[in-house]
Amino acid sequence: MAAHGPTAATDLGEIVEHRGVRECLQWFTREKQWVNEAHLRLCRVPAPTYLEGERAAWFLEQFQAAGWDASIDRAGNAIAIEGHAPYVALTAHLDTVIAPRNKDDITVDPDGRLTGPGVSDNGAGLAALLAIARAWKACPNRPELHHGLLLAADTGEEGEGNLRGMRRLAKDSPLARDIKAFLVLDGADTGHITNRALGSRRFEVAFAGPGGHSWSDYGVGNPLHALCRAVALFADTRLDGAPKSAFNVGLIEGGSSVNAIAHSALAKVDIRSESNEKMDELVRALTAAVDRARDIENQRATGGKVTGRLKEIGSRPAAALPEQASILRYVQAVDAHLGIRARLNCSSTDANVPLSLGIPAIAIGGGGAGGGAHTAQEWFRPEGRDLGLKRILLVLLLLMRESSPGTAT
């Protein structure tokens, strides 16, 4: 872990003594109830991956009501901007793995605990983004800043979304070249700083054949048999030593009846590693398993043959933030000031994209506590949320004061 540089500590000391900053920090504590209510409202707007439009429109209204210049871009991201380029970007993903079917799927206890799909991942990050947006406009007296602020509620972080919203922001948007650092809000936990991007590659494995009757057409190539054999062959792949890697067959489907030979069969495979090279190695092993399974099935067949296909459906690059990056020193200095003890970790987040492009980025939690991610019983408790919000604001101000946000010094 990098040491806190004297510049970070000195700048932070000046920032926290600024009257306008103190007012803003107090806003987070004073407006706890408003933040909690906004959190509940946003979580009740469904936003499954690829269907985030309703929640993006809700965020657009919230940004504009708070006084921001806001719009929705081609990827469906809700963007709000203040100031001039270059920008520091604060982002949180809109989508959830499970969407509420109705408002009653998101419940709130008398003590403020939320329960329901997406309330922590990424309800906590989105609520923090909205709180920063409101506080920023409510407390306009700020120290001199050298950079503008860009807020983004972005699309496609979960599942097969393939980070499409962040790819637009960091690579394809007209604003991309003007964003110099990313602070990504994902979940609630303030006990981590994601400075290493866990890479992933996702594939669809598909076999096809003539199909037929299980008795009268017995002997034709069976796509389901070939698929199961491919999965078994790939599952025998050994993962020894570093870098840490993993793979998973998360879905298998195919066939129509117990007495019918399937026309097709499909599986979806997730490969993850801290190393892009290791992912390439595992992709080669998967390709070999598919080819071998096809050949074995066709050698056994006395009739029509099967074909096999491997299609990549997602790719998240592995990457790492340089240890000497100032964005890391800033968050560590802020944590020391606030009494937060956080560990550095490796995870798959929106930060994968900017880190792979050499743009400084970290992912942190929005504050509070949460658990049960990606289940219908996901939960969030707001105690301590204001500490997380103060952390976010102070890191943003440090980034916006320097000449080249987030870069190594």
Side-chain angles (χ1 to χ4, degrees), residues 50-66:
Y50 287 110
L51 297 172
E52 305 98 331
E54 185 180 355
R55 187 175 285 182
W58 186 89
F59 259 85
L60 178 66
E61 292 178 1
Q62 299 300 312
F63 285 151
Q64 291 175 337

Side-chain angles (χ1 to χ4, degrees), residues 93-370:
H93 70 84
L94 286 163
D95 55 327
T96 60
V97 172
I98 302 173
R101 294 164 298 178
N102 54 65
K103 291 183 178 181
D104 292 338
D105 283 354
I106 309 294
T107 63
V108 56
D109 294 341
D111 64 357
R113 174 185 165 119
L114 296 175
T115 303
V119 296
S120 181
D121 181 15
N122 192 28
L126 289 167
L129 179 69
L130 193 56
I132 293 292
R134 294 281 295 204
W136 193 266
K137 292 297 188 178
C139 310
N141 179 22
R142 292 182 287 273
E144 180 182 0
L145 302 173
H146 304 300
H147 306 283
L149 178 58
L150 184 151
L151 308 180
D154 62 271
T155 58
E157 194 275 341
E158 298 286 9
E160 294 179 25
N162 205 30
L163 306 181
R164 75 181 187 282
M166 182 57 75
R167 291 180 194 276
R168 171 70 182 174
L169 279 175
K171 295 179 65 176
D172 304 324
S173 166
L175 295 167
R177 67 180 61 186
D178 293 325
I179 302 175
K180 302 306 179 185
F182 284 84
L183 184 58
V184 174
L185 306 179
D186 201 333
D189 183 19
T190 57
H192 72 270
I193 303 166
T194 298
N195 66 321
R196 304 190 314 280
L198 176 63
S200 69
R201 295 181 67 182
R202 292 163 179 174
F203 291 86
E204 182 181 274
V205 179
F207 285 90
H213 192 281
S214 62
W215 173 255
S216 59
D217 293 310
Y218 179 75
V220 302
N222 190 315
L224 266 173
H225 293 183
L227 177 65
C228 291
R229 187 172 291 111
V231 170
L233 288 169
F234 184 56
D236 286 338
T237 304
R238 294 183 62 86
L239 294 177
D240 297 323
K244 184 177 180 181
S245 305
F247 59 81
N248 178 63
V249 178
L251 180 149
I252 292 180
E253 60 184 25
S256 58
S257 171
V258 68
N259 60 342
I261 299 169
H263 287 278
S264 61
L266 177 147
K268 291 186 178 181
V269 182
D270 178 65
I271 293 171
R272 298 188 181 220
S273 180
E274 298 180 21
S275 160
N276 291 311
E277 292 74 18
K278 184 65 176 180
M279 285 193 293
D280 290 341
E281 179 183 327
L282 289 170
V283 171
R284 289 193 292 271
L286 177 61
T287 302
V290 171
D291 291 344
R292 179 64 177 150
R294 179 202 60 217
D295 292 345
I296 292 174
E297 183 62 21
N298 286 336
Q299 288 166 8
R300 295 165 58 91
T302 57
K305 309 297 185 180
V306 301
T307 59
R309 174 178 59 84
L310 190 64
K311 176 184 177 183
E312 188 163 25
I313 57 175
S315 177
R316 301 185 179 202
L321 181 72
E323 291 184 5
Q324 69 274 24
S326 61
I327 189 173
L328 183 56
R329 292 191 295 107
Y330 290 158
V331 72
Q332 290 172 336
V334 170
D335 283 356
H337 172 74
L338 296 175
I340 295 172
R341 300 182 65 180
R343 67 190 184 281
L344 302 180
N345 78 342
C346 179
S347 186
S348 179
T349 70
D350 271 328
N352 284 47
V353 174
L355 284 174
S356 71
L357 298 171
I359 304 171
I362 58 171
I364 60 176

Side-chain angles (χ1 to χ4, degrees), residues 31-81:
E31 298 295 333
K32 283 181 180 180
Q33 187 59 35
W34 182 90
V35 179
N36 291 344
E37 291 172 356
H39 190 160
L40 175 63
R41 293 198 307 273
L42 75 89
C43 287
R44 284 178 166 171
V45 181
T49 305
Y50 287 110
L51 297 172
E52 305 98 331
E54 185 180 355
R55 187 175 285 182
W58 186 89
F59 259 85
L60 178 66
E61 292 178 1
Q62 299 300 312
F63 285 151
Q64 291 175 337
W68 288 81
D69 179 11
S71 61
I72 294 180
D73 70 9
R74 291 183 179 179
N77 302 319
I79 308 291
I81 295 176

